[in-house]
Amino acid sequence: MPPLLAWLATTATAALCPVALLLLRSRRRLAARLSAERLAARETAERALIIQELHEVVAHHVSVMTLGIGAGRMTMDRDATRATDTLKEAEESGRRALTELQRMLGLLSAFTGVPPSRTPQPRLTDLPDLLDDARRGGLRVDFAQDGCPAPLAPGVELSAYRIVQEALSGAVAASSATVTLRWRPGFLEVLVADDGPSKTPASGLRERTALLGGTLLATDGRSVHARLPLG
């Protein structure tokens, strides 16, 4: 090989070697990342499948429990011994359902990173404490109810509380806020307005409302207006 060509080949090889090494390292990193993502996707799919299976188990136990209680109630006057046995089976089904629910919550905590809590969930009767906490933080809060309060499904009541909680948490730059519960036939409206600057509404409000079949009527940055079905 002529000296010039040999020199060019050597120079090209010396110049390309670092590039090739860099490309090789990048390819390895990309392969490792894709492998980790595929593993995470498989783990997520497996957890989702397990949760679905646990959900079906819980639904079965709850169905057995409900049927057992109904059967026990209907046979109590005619055959007390049989009714007692039926109610015991329903009680055991309830215990099994609770156990499976705790397992399901444990799996869900792997997604959220938040361990399952055994403390009771807040209710609307806990709103005064929530408003007092906001007032101690310097926010002047007025509370009003319009209409006749009606029984709420537990999930709806919890969501109404959380909507107020999230709205007040976002009012950090406000000096005053108003919380209103409007009770109407078949639904409850939750309104929270403050006098602070406009802000981005909490992203979870729309999902929380829609999950219950409700509607988020307004989140204009200074107010929240949600409509939730009672049942």
Side-chain angles (χ1 to χ4, degrees):
M1 179 182 297
L4 179 58
L5 291 179
W7 178 82
L8 289 175
T10 302
T11 302
T13 301
L16 291 175
C17 278
V19 175
L21 183 59
L22 179 61
L23 290 175
L24 179 60
R25 290 176 178 173
S26 298
R27 182 177 179 181
R28 288 176 177 174
R29 285 196 296 267
L30 178 60
R33 188 177 66 189
L34 291 176
S35 177
E37 290 176 352
R38 284 193 294 267
L39 178 60
R42 284 198 300 269
E43 291 177 349
T44 299
E46 289 171 0
R47 289 195 188 106
L49 178 60
I50 293 171
I51 290 172
Q52 175 64 29
E53 292 172 347
L54 288 176
H55 176 271
E56 293 172 359
V57 170
V58 170
H60 169 73
H61 287 318
V62 172
S63 297
V64 171
M65 180 174 59
T66 303
L67 292 172
I69 292 174
R73 177 178 55 81
M74 295 176 65
T75 59
M76 182 64 69
D77 294 336
R78 302 193 305 272
D79 190 343
T81 301
R82 180 181 176 186
T84 300
D85 292 340
T86 301
L87 291 174
K88 286 181 179 178
E89 292 177 3
E91 181 183 4
E92 183 59 29
S93 291
R95 289 199 182 97
R96 287 194 292 267
L98 180 59
T99 299
E100 299 302 334
L101 278 173
Q102 290 170 345
R103 291 178 183 173
M104 190 185 303
L105 289 174
L107 285 171
L108 288 173
S109 67
F111 290 97
T112 63
V114 179
S117 173
R118 294 179 182 271
T119 58
Q121 295 289 357
R123 306 179 61 182
L124 288 182
T125 53
D126 298 313
L127 269 184
D129 293 334
L130 176 64
L131 302 185
D132 286 341
D133 288 341
R135 292 178 182 121
R136 282 191 289 269
L139 183 67
R140 187 172 69 254
V141 184
D142 294 325
F143 176 70
Q145 293 198 75
D146 179 18
C148 182
L152 292 172
V156 175
E157 187 167 12
L158 174 60
S159 290
Y161 178 95
R162 294 300 189 199
I163 288 171
V164 175
Q165 184 180 43
E166 291 183 35
L168 291 180
S169 297
V172 291
S175 61
S176 65
T178 301
V179 177
T180 305
L181 300 181
R182 291 179 182 170
W183 300 90
R184 297 294 185 264
F187 62 88
L188 166 67
E189 290 187 351
V190 181
L191 299 91
V192 184
D194 64 73
D195 63 354
S198 181
K199 53 194 174 295
T200 302
S203 60
L205 290 178
R206 191 174 302 279
E207 289 78 4
R208 182 184 294 277
T209 304
L211 184 64
L212 297 167
T215 306
L216 193 62
L217 300 176
T219 52
D220 60 7
R222 296 181 62 182
S223 64
V224 173
H225 184 184
R227 176 179 292 174
L228 301 171
L230 297 181

